[in-house]
């Protein structure tokens, strides 16, 4: 997961550009949790190595330009299987 501190006025525009990249599976805006967490844009980037992810992060950084004040990458330690929403069918 890449996280970005994007100027508030530009976060929607940058988010649309980032979300359209083929290597981004999902991209969304979240409120900052200042002072500890300045990031307001999240983009899931997929790669086979850390180097590949860093190259993709650099591509996003070029899109954001000077409207980005900082970023980071949160690497997964393991792959979690997505199962989707499961509802129980119980007689009511």
């Amino acid at each position: 997961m890449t996280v970005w501190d994007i100027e508030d006025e530009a976060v929607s525009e940058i988010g649309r550009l980032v979300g359209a990249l083929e290597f981004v599976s999902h991209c969304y805006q979240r409120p900052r949790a200042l002072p500890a967490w300045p990031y307001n844009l999240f983009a899931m980037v997929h790669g086979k190595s850390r180097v590949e992810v860093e190259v993709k992060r650099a591509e996003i950084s070029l899109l954001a330009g000077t409207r980005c004040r900082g970023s980071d990458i949160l690497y997964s330690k393991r792959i979690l299987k997505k199962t989707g929403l499961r509802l129980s069918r119980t007689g009511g």
Side-chain angles (χ1 to χ4, degrees):
M1 177 68 70
T2 61
V3 292
W4 303 86
D5 178 7
I6 303 293
E7 293 175 355
D8 291 333
E9 307 79 35
V11 72
S12 292
E13 174 192 351
I14 299 300
R16 280 191 295 277
L17 294 172
V18 172
L21 295 169
E22 66 179 30
F23 55 82
V24 173
S25 63
H26 52 283
C27 181
Y28 49 92
Q29 180 182 358
R30 290 280 188 255
R32 294 178 173 89
L34 296 174
W37 191 258
Y39 308 111
N40 61 343
L41 186 68
F42 295 66
M44 181 60 77
V45 172
H46 299 274
K48 294 182 180 181
S49 69
R50 287 180 181 240
V51 170
E52 184 180 349
V53 172
E54 285 288 348
V55 168
K56 293 173 179 178
R57 175 192 189 186
E59 187 173 335
I60 295 171
S61 184
L62 286 174
L63 284 177
T66 59
R67 296 169 291 185
C68 178
R69 297 180 290 225
S71 67
D72 205 348
I73 299 176
L74 310 174
Y75 288 101
S76 300
K77 291 189 176 193
R78 60 189 173 113
I79 296 173
L80 301 174
K81 181 180 177 185
K82 293 182 182 179
T83 59
L85 180 64
R86 296 182 182 185
L87 300 175
S88 174
R89 292 187 183 248
T90 59

